[in-house]
Amino acid sequence: MPRILVPLPAAVCFTARMKVQVGDLNYGNHLSNDAVLRLCHETRLRWLLSLGWNELDAAGAGLIMADAAVQYLAQAYYGEPLRVEMGSAEVGKGGFVLLYHLVRESDEKSIARVSTGMVCFDYGKQKVCRLPEALKQVLEAV
């Protein structure tokens, strides 16, 4: 059976805490697969905001998600508090990878591991651009 294995972040550069909300549930009454990516997106936005940036201007470059991989490990249910730990990997000339670990705080159970490939993007010119030095330093500081 094919299986995606997503590594844990080697070091955590940002942590977000949030509860599973009713809109995060699927017909099985547990955390839906699309909600897992939304929680990672929320974590990424909070991290950027903590640095004074956003996805349209992260130290001078926009960010666009090029790929995502999700490894589902356990279910989470309405109202459960989750901790999303995020770290970086594979910092390159024009992009990087963010790794996320979703943990149910009540029992420290791993719910999911996620990898998103992020590319620096000039939205004005509609083309890929170089990774800004300030962003590179933040990503490599951990």
Side-chain angles (χ1 to χ4, degrees), residues 2 21 24 32 41 44 46 56 64 81 108 117-118 120 130:
Q21 298 182 21
D24 297 332
S32 67
H41 187 192
R44 185 172 61 253
R46 290 181 187 186
L56 296 176
I64 193 164
E108 294 298 308
M118 305 302 296
C120 293
R130 292 191 61 84

Side-chain angles (χ1 to χ4, degrees), residues 3 8 11 20-21 23 26 52 57 62 70 77 89 91 106 116-117 140 142:
R3 184 159 180 182
L8 288 171
V20 177
Q21 298 182 21
N26 63 18
D57 183 4
V70 182
Y77 298 94
V91 179
S106 62
T116 59
E140 292 180 339
V142 198

Side-chain angles (χ1 to χ4, degrees), residues 3 16 25-26 49-50 54 60 72 78 93 102 111 122 140:
R3 184 159 180 182
L25 303 178
N26 63 18
L49 183 62
S50 77
N54 59 56
Y72 302 100
Y78 176 74
K93 293 179 182 179
L102 283 72
I111 302 301
D122 183 324
E140 292 180 339

